[in-house]
Amino acid sequence: KMKQKKDPLIYISSPQRLDQNTSGLFVISTKKQFASYFAKLLRKKTNNQLLDYDRGECGVHKTYKCLVCVSQGRKDSDGTSYSVAEEISRLRKYAAEGNVIRHWLEPSVRAPKTFSVEQRNSTWAECLLRVKSVGDPYAIVGSDAADTLLNVLWENKASKPPECVAVIEVEIELLTGRTHQIRGQMSAEGFPLVGDVGYGGAVSMPDSCDSTDDTGIRMPEKLALQCCQLEFLEPDFVEKKGDVVGIRSDRWKSYRLEEAWWTPMLQKYASTHAGDSQATISRSDEEAIQRLKRVHVASQNADDQGTSVGTDAGVLPPRVQLSPGKNKYVIIKAMRRSSPPLRFVRSANPLECGGPYHADVARSVIDELASLGYESTVEGGGRIDYVYPHAHVYGFSYGFGKGDHELAAKIIEECSGEEIYATFDESDGIY
């Protein structure tokens, strides 16, 4: 008490806070005037964004990095299933178009919060964010490097969401400041944050299964969310009616973190050399899938214009072609006017098809079918373990999703031209 009388207490406050378990930049104020000024900036930022003001009208900008889960086989309300590559493409479209993502937050003290694409009544708060950039995908199923990454991103391997097969870094500009906003909005879009038990980015485990430290204390999951950039207009302090207040200047202060806690883990993954048999997904694979889709459209247009060639089924590629060993496979549906659809099953090792991805396996078949005027679609894929006379179909494709393994096995038995018996496993999560 005597010391407090002699030395005045130092004022410290945090006008801008981070959600629990979120890392990164935040503001500490040692002056009441600055704390008041910055809190006012934040209030005006949210109000201005809700009124659709230009970004420049806001005196503070906050950008976050997060590592999100990408699921295999997410389904729309109409039952349409999406591959990992299609999900990543959706994310990239958000960034390319720069559109604002909008949800509504239910007013509640409970956690996790409820976020909806519809405002269910007037008390629900509007939430706005914008995806600025999307990084490279990293598989967490299907290779030694993927297993290593999985084990360092989640405290317990079993706490990984079962449908999550890849992760990708996303940079987000937060336009409004709501509780759990990025976590809730990204989860509502189908991309929960790694380690986020409340919003689907981790599975809550029993106490006996969770990781503990040296003292036996239960360790929480690490949340892959970081405030990576903070920009605000510096204040000029002036005296008004006997009080010192901060007013906006035209000088911007900018702070940025280039690395998050998960960055070294992704860098190690990227530097780890994986053999062709372990390749899963990459930017080049995404691009190859888009090229195959363009071939599909081109063949359809040619048929519409009456320029298709090759009507004799004898010139078609074999319906079934399998390479010995464990290899990636695709099932392809081919159609043309006035003809019933045909399906082709292909498995190939990287040396045979020219690359390690499912798109490489599909490319030559689609090109050949396109030259014959067929509209072709890769319906899915996985792997085939083929040792004559047995073929076992299982797994999934990051690029095209999980194939209909039962149908693929039936086609192998009926159309291979050899006495092959085929089995299949439709289990999820096998690669």
Side-chain angles (χ1 to χ4, degrees), residues 4-16:
Q4 289 180 8
K5 290 180 179 180
K6 292 180 180 179
D7 301 324
L9 295 176
I10 298 173
Y11 176 86
I12 296 178
S13 72
S14 176
Q16 176 251 336

Side-chain angles (χ1 to χ4, degrees), residues 179-223:
T179 303
H180 296 183
Q181 182 179 329
I182 292 176
R183 297 165 60 190
Q185 283 198 264
M186 293 306 289
S187 177
E189 287 294 308
F191 302 102
L193 275 58
V194 168
D196 195 347
V197 174
Y199 293 93
V203 177
S204 181
M205 303 299 295
D207 290 350
S208 59
C209 297
D210 274 341
S211 299
T212 58
D213 63 13
D214 294 338
T215 65
I217 296 175
R218 178 176 170 176
M219 299 293 290
E221 292 288 341
K222 273 190 174 182
L223 179 65

Side-chain angles (χ1 to χ4, degrees), residues 139-148 269 274 278-280 431:
I140 54 171
V141 176
S143 70
D144 295 339
D147 289 341
T148 299
Y269 179 106
Q278 292 193 331
T280 49
Y431 186 76

Side-chain angles (χ1 to χ4, degrees), residues 376-392:
S376 303
T377 304
V378 181
E379 295 186 311
R383 290 183 185 259
I384 294 179
D385 186 358
Y386 175 50
V387 180
Y388 183 81
H390 176 224
H392 182 63

